[in-house]
Amino acid sequence: MTEGLTLDGAMVTGAERFSTFEVRITPDAAEVDRIYMGLSRAGEGYVLYGPALKAEGYSTSLRFDDASDDVAVPAVDAVDGYVFFGPADHVTDDAHGAFIADPELSAELAAPIRDAFRSSMEFYQARLNLDLDYHPAVIASVDSPGPAIFRGDVTDTGVISVRFTGDSWRGAEAFLAPFVWHETFHLWNGHGIQNRDGESAPWLHEGAAEYASIIGAVSANARPEDQGRSALAQKTNGCRRALASREGGMSSVRSGSSVYDCGALIQWIADLELQNAGQGAFFSLWADILRDARASDDGYGVTEFMTALPASSAVRLLVEEEGEIQWDQIRARMTDLGVTFVNDPGAGDLLTAALFHIARQNCSNGSYGFYNDPGALRLDGADCGPLSGEPIIDTVEGFDPQQQSAAMFNAVQARCAASLPIRYQARDGRVLEAVCDSPLETPEVWAISEAPSLRR
Ligand SMILES: [Zn+2]
């Protein structure tokens, strides 16, 4: 801080009048929640969050001095979001945007991010045919101070930051490209455009980005179609699980993964309905919404989205329902649109359904679970009668729960139907007998057996 002046909180004060002052800032020591980092490192360069330096009641602009070899990206309006400044060799630029990373950054991390950025920018630009107000950039770094192992965010300058803490990205490679495809869609539907319902109905902009990332990557040959389908099946199941336990459909969905799951399902239904009616499809729908939003003072919101759909749209069964969601109706409507769901619970679904069903009947305080450690499935729960004490379980009704969960499930289902006890063989030699006197239902986990192509 300049001598004679004090910085207290967000206020600079001095005994005399002053017209200039200096503040020295250092990189933030920790990632905190969803708050933008004020200053962070990216290789040999820095990423600064411009709004943190905005002076209240004054117009603020940023200028980068004293670094003849360094560059600043973006070069204009940097005060409105993230700006990178650092060595020019960290920046590779083309017509679609800038990719920024330390040249020493592992190619296993840099390449998928760079490729997804380039192909998603090119793809969305072609499908939406709307120019952006800024020249976007993605910054990839492993310099996050933690404790979060990963954080990705986008600011109004069109800069996407993807920050990992050290080597924490290893093992997460498969998720890099979908993440980037999702974020680049927000450059169109989330930044530099007004979204009236961003807080009250986040499923609209998040669902659109999520669905765009799935069908976009499939259409651009960046992801196999069957992966796209299983991603949509997962989202449908996630939404069903999330809404099963509450009344009131989407009005209650404000945070967590249900925003993305239900949001993507809604966009999928809308896409299929429009295509079926010969009224375009997902990208022409969003091109229209976003073009109109730019031309109006109100931006866009749920009203514009719903108005664009057929009057009888099945989306209304999710968005306008105030009671219990009628999944059988939604499923039937999707069948009419060419999507066939079959019930196909996986090994993990069967394992969880069986163990939780028994635990529910034996654990008196309602708190239970299990640790699925490789080769050693261990029960959790203190007040679980014979199943208390966190025993490691080798077999249930003679079947290894980790290796033979379908056979175990069937055996447990038959025993429960006859109200017979379930026999757990513990690793310490004991046979634990747990009560089961209510029928074990096969869990509903849908898979897609048939669906129209996801290519757009
Ligand atoms: Zn998002």
Side-chain angles (χ1 to χ4, degrees), residues 88-94 97-101 114 117-118 135-138:
D89 70 356
H90 283 37
V91 182
T92 41
D93 212 344
D94 71 12
F99 176 73
I100 302 170
R114 187 188 55 226
F117 178 58
R118 296 253 159 86
H135 186 65
V138 63

Side-chain angles (χ1 to χ4, degrees), residues 154 182-183 186 205-207 209-210 260:
V154 192
H182 175 107
E183 297 302 332
H186 282 322
H205 70 283
E206 291 299 356
E210 194 66 9
Y260 302 84

Side-chain angles (χ1 to χ4, degrees), residues 104-121:
E104 303 288 311
L105 188 69
S106 166
E108 289 169 75
L109 176 63
I113 295 174
R114 187 188 55 226
D115 296 348
F117 178 58
R118 296 253 159 86
S119 43
S120 62
M121 288 299 303

Side-chain angles (χ1 to χ4, degrees), residues 39-292:
L39 185 69
S40 58
R41 297 303 305 252
E44 300 297 312
Y46 291 87
V47 181
L48 177 73
Y49 184 59
L53 296 177
K54 278 192 180 179
E56 207 175 299
Y58 295 87
S59 136
T60 312
S61 63
L62 288 179
R63 200 180 65 219
F64 296 88
D65 275 350
D66 188 35
S68 52
D69 297 339
D70 286 358
V71 292
V73 182
V76 290
D77 294 335
V79 76
D80 292 328
Y82 278 141
V83 55
F84 169 84
F85 58 99
D89 70 356
H90 283 37
V91 182
T92 41
D93 212 344
D94 71 12
H96 299 296
F99 176 73
I100 302 170
D102 189 330
E104 303 288 311
L105 188 69
S106 166
E108 289 169 75
L109 176 63
I113 295 174
R114 187 188 55 226
D115 296 348
F117 178 58
R118 296 253 159 86
S119 43
S120 62
M121 288 299 303
E122 188 172 7
F123 181 85
Y124 295 147
Q125 179 63 53
R127 290 299 189 281
L128 296 170
N129 197 21
L130 290 171
D131 291 330
L132 294 172
D133 284 344
Y134 37 68
H135 186 65
V138 63
I139 305 170
S141 91
V142 292
D143 303 303
S144 170
I149 59 170
F150 168 72
R151 180 94 167 90
D153 40 33
V154 192
T155 64
D156 288 349
T157 42
V159 177
I160 301 170
S161 167
V162 184
R163 297 186 294 279
F164 289 91
T165 310
D167 269 350
S168 61
W169 56 272
R170 290 193 185 276
E173 291 90 338
F175 129 102
L176 295 171
F179 171 80
V180 173
W181 276 85
H182 175 107
E183 297 302 332
T184 52
F185 195 79
H186 282 322
L187 297 177
W188 275 272
N189 86 340
H191 295 275
I193 195 162
Q194 194 198 340
N195 171 5
R196 286 193 314 277
D197 300 326
E199 291 293 320
S200 60
W203 55 264
L204 180 60
H205 70 283
E206 291 299 356
E210 194 66 9
Y211 185 67
S213 79
I214 294 170
I215 62 168
V218 169
S219 304
N221 293 319
R223 196 176 185 186
E225 176 131 15
D226 61 340
Q227 260 190 31
R229 277 190 187 194
S230 54
L232 287 172
Q234 258 179 41
K235 308 231 165 264
T236 307
N237 286 318
C239 183
R240 285 177 52 239
R241 268 195 307 274
L243 294 184
S245 52
R246 50 181 135 176
E247 298 260 298
M250 294 307 296
S251 57
S252 65
V253 172
R254 297 282 172 92
S255 62
S257 59
S258 53
V259 169
Y260 302 84
D261 291 348
C262 297
L265 172 61
I266 285 170
Q267 295 299 325
W268 187 24
I269 296 171
D271 186 18
L272 293 170
E273 286 178 339
L274 291 171
Q275 208 172 30
N276 213 42
Q279 296 173 359
F282 174 81
F283 287 108
S284 59
L285 164 71
W286 277 91
D288 290 346
I289 291 176
L290 297 173
R291 191 176 300 108
D292 290 350

